[in-house]
Amino acid sequence: MAAIAAVLMSLVSVLPPPTAAAAAAPGCPAGTSPFDDAAGSFAQSDIACIYRLGITKGTSRSTYSPRDTVTRRQMAAFLARLWRASGNTCPTEVIPFVDVPPNSPVRADVACIYGLHVTKGTSPSTYDPNGPVTREQMGAFLARLWEATGIPCPVGGSQFTDVSPTSFAARSITCLRNLGIATGTGHGRYSPHLPVTREQMAAFLARFWRKRGFVPGPTVVPIRPHLAPPGNLPTTPGASFFFEGVWSPRGPLIDGYHGVYTTLVRPSPTQPAIYVLEAWIDPMLTNVELFPGSQRPGGRWAQPNFVPPERCQNLIFAGNGGFKMTQSRGGYYSEGREAVPLRDGAASFVIFADHRVDIVQWGRDIAGADLPAIASVRQNLELLVDNGAVVHDIDSHVSSRDAGNYAQPIWWGWLVANSTWTWRSGWGVTKDGAIIYVGGPGLKVHDLANRLVDAGAVRAMEGDINPYWITGNFYSTDTDGTCRGEKGLPQPLDAGGFRRPGSRYLSPDSSDFIAVFADHSRWVP
């Protein structure tokens, strides 16, 4: 520990003193950064430089977190943005890294530096995006990017005393030293095994920019990856209100964008006074999570059967799950175990460990071999919608209250009080990965499926049915921290409103549900 402390002190000792008003670094766009915590950093002007170049967005609107360690996902973003800021085009390589999935916010950046031969990954099939970056690894990254510009690295000359000639990055570190990009940590040392901090990385990037002689263009601030907001929906023929089918944002802005939109739509022209709730969810801006109920599926889980108060500040929406497990013709998987065995052929709501969400036919689209990459699976019956269309035999197997038969290939549930019209719900996924929720009264099975298709679903599954179980609530937090819930259909039950209160899912519940949280942390800063 004493040795580490000495090295850290040497790092501080060689840093130039901060200036009262850090001027723009030579060759960098004029202007400052919005980051309050950059004041006093030795790299204040460099942080402003890479912000104005669009190489960083910060860890929030007003913070850069200069002393945090750079991760490998952040490194990929930094280098790819540096490459693009210089006017170069990133290669669009197919990457072999299974831990950087197709919808990862940094997949394009990792593909860029992989195609430029800046990274080979931590193994032939992994990149380790959340791993820390050492100064030794940083040297290799930057020197390879330098040579990708077509200019050879200057090599030769004295080495840092603590960089072994056998280090994989020895030549790269010498290159950066000769270029003046790396000046060491003092006393002829480089400290190759220490992690790189974000303020150090800002200095390295700004020096690279100036040394390479790039000409900065207009300031470009990076945009968080997100899905295009949904377009308005077709409405049911007949009289309608001005808001029907018009999507409205719900919840807070997430890096400038809304992650949830909602609208009301009449399910059928024969029921002109009845509306159903529809919600559109962007998994790139939100975290979608499956919560267990005390009875569905039952058992012991680390995830509670309600949303804890400390998580309410990010909670936007929660909707009901599926049937009782004994009636769902499917299974339940979470936290690495199958509470109820998963069934091939079942419609399956799948949440991946990397936050992707999909609705699939189990065994055809995704199977048991994929479980190591999956956080949760909730199965319920068979698909209502497949390949962007209502399944061809949806009406062939509609059961009445008296004729329900679990042996049928498709069975859409026992109805309460009415064998044709009932409360139903469903979940769908669009071709670009948005999640759709539909829930409300007056829905035949075919109407539910049509509503999901009209909202853009390419695959969809039925959720729970009947008025006591259907819930679609929105949430907010008061200034005093109190969590508030609001029913998505707030009118009285006899007028088509949800029966359960807006506070449902804020206290223990017997049924599983799906909750949507604003994600302010996954964006690569």
Side-chain angles (χ1 to χ4, degrees):
M1 290 298 294
I4 293 176
V7 172
L8 291 174
M9 288 301 296
S10 72
L11 276 170
V12 174
S13 67
V14 298
L15 302 182
T19 57
C28 290
T32 60
S33 79
F35 308 131
D36 297 335
D37 57 356
S41 168
F42 80 92
Q44 182 177 358
S45 64
D46 296 321
I47 293 169
C49 174
I50 65 171
Y51 172 77
R52 305 303 298 182
L53 290 169
I55 295 170
T56 187
K57 186 182 179 182
T59 52
S60 77
R61 294 181 182 275
S62 60
T63 60
Y64 178 74
S65 305
R67 292 172 180 80
D68 282 2
T69 297
V70 175
T71 65
R72 289 176 60 87
R73 69 200 303 259
Q74 292 172 356
M75 178 63 76
F78 283 142
L79 299 183
R81 292 170 187 166
L82 174 61
W83 184 257
R84 297 186 192 104
S86 67
N88 294 311
T89 300
C90 272
T92 54
E93 296 288 314
V94 176
I95 58 175
F97 308 132
V98 296
D99 54 357
V100 185
N103 75 332
S104 168
V106 293
R107 185 175 177 89
D109 297 329
V110 174
C112 177
I113 64 173
Y114 177 77
L116 293 170
H117 305 290
V118 171
T119 185
K120 301 175 182 177
T122 52
S123 79
S125 61
T126 58
Y127 178 74
D128 189 19
N130 296 319
V133 178
T134 66
R135 290 172 57 87
E136 182 178 43
Q137 294 166 344
M138 182 281 304
F141 279 128
L142 271 187
R144 292 170 188 163
L145 188 68
W146 179 272
E147 293 196 313
T149 67
I151 300 178
C153 264
V155 294
S158 60
Q159 295 274 357
F160 290 109
T161 58
D162 58 349
V163 177
S164 169
T166 61
S167 166
F168 73 93
R171 179 181 179 277
S172 298
I173 294 169
T174 299
C175 168
L176 298 187
R177 179 173 187 169
N178 291 341
L179 289 170
I181 294 173
T183 58
T185 55
H187 309 292
R189 299 174 62 84
Y190 179 75
S191 306
H193 302 301
L194 284 181
V196 181
T197 65
R198 289 173 55 85
E199 65 181 345
Q200 292 169 357
M201 197 65 220
F204 288 131
L205 292 167
R207 292 171 193 162
F208 186 110
W209 178 269
R210 297 193 300 270
K211 188 68 179 180
R212 179 63 183 81
F214 290 134
V215 178
T219 297
V220 179
V221 176
I223 297 173
R224 174 165 179 170
H226 63 284
L227 300 178
N232 290 342
L233 299 177
T235 58
T236 300
S240 66
F241 293 101
F242 68 91
F243 56 76
E244 182 177 1
V246 178
W247 293 103
S248 300
R250 297 298 298 256
L253 284 171
I254 306 167
D255 290 310
Y257 303 94
H258 283 285
V260 176
Y261 287 77
T262 182
T263 188
L264 301 178
V265 178
R266 288 171 300 139
S268 170
T270 62
Q271 300 282 322
I274 292 178
Y275 283 82
V276 298
L277 171 70
E278 301 196 15
W280 179 98
I281 299 155
D282 183 349
M284 300 183 78
L285 296 172
T286 61
N287 282 330
V288 179
E289 298 183 24
L290 177 64
F291 281 72
S294 60
Q295 297 178 21
R296 307 181 193 179
R300 292 180 175 272
W301 302 92
Q303 182 88 298
N305 55 12
F306 63 97
V307 177
E310 64 271 17
R311 299 199 63 193
C312 189
Q313 62 178 347
N314 289 321
L315 180 62
I316 305 175
F317 176 77
N320 57 272
F323 287 14
K324 293 179 180 179
M325 302 312 303
T326 55
Q327 299 174 354
S328 69
R329 293 174 50 81
Y332 189 104
Y333 171 88
S334 194
E335 299 177 12
R337 63 188 174 94
E338 294 182 56
V340 180
L342 300 174
R343 176 180 68 85
D344 283 353
S348 305
F349 191 109
V350 180
I351 303 173
F352 291 85
D354 60 15
H355 304 288
R356 285 180 295 141
V357 182
D358 207 347
I359 293 170
V360 302
Q361 179 178 302
W362 195 259
R364 181 194 69 181
D365 307 316
I366 294 175
D370 300 300
L371 285 176
I374 291 173
S376 302
V377 181
R378 180 37 154 124
Q379 295 185 327
N380 203 56
L381 310 179
E382 283 75 19
L383 289 175
L384 279 173
V385 174
D386 200 12
N387 296 315
V390 178
V391 293
H392 68 91
D393 54 356
I394 188 170
D395 292 323
S396 303
H397 301 285
V398 175
S399 64
S400 71
R401 185 177 180 184
D402 300 317
N405 182 355
Y406 290 111
Q408 290 178 306
I410 300 179
W411 182 80
W412 306 116
W414 294 104
L415 310 184
V416 173
N418 188 308
S419 62
T420 302
W421 300 97
T422 191
W423 283 73
R424 296 186 188 272
S425 65
W427 295 89
V429 62
T430 68
K431 65 180 180 180
D432 60 357
I435 299 300
I436 304 295
Y437 172 84
V438 175
L443 285 166
K444 293 181 179 180
V445 177
H446 208 128
D447 292 326
L448 173 62
N450 282 332
R451 295 311 327 151
L452 288 158
V453 170
D454 285 347
V458 293
R459 290 179 301 280
M461 61 181 272
E462 187 176 31
D464 214 344
I465 65 173
N466 297 319
Y468 188 75
W469 304 111
I470 308 301
T471 295
N473 288 346
F474 297 95
Y475 302 87
S476 59
T477 305
D478 293 345
T479 54
D480 64 358
T482 302
C483 192
R484 302 289 183 188
E486 175 190 349
K487 296 193 294 184
L489 294 174
Q491 60 268 37
L493 177 65
D494 58 5
F498 288 130
R499 172 175 291 183
R500 307 292 285 276
S503 59
R504 188 183 183 190
Y505 304 134
L506 299 180
S507 58
D509 204 274
S510 63
S511 300
D512 59 285
F513 62 94
I514 293 165
V516 180
F517 299 87
D519 177 22
H520 299 284
S521 63
R522 209 187 326 157
W523 169 227
V524 179

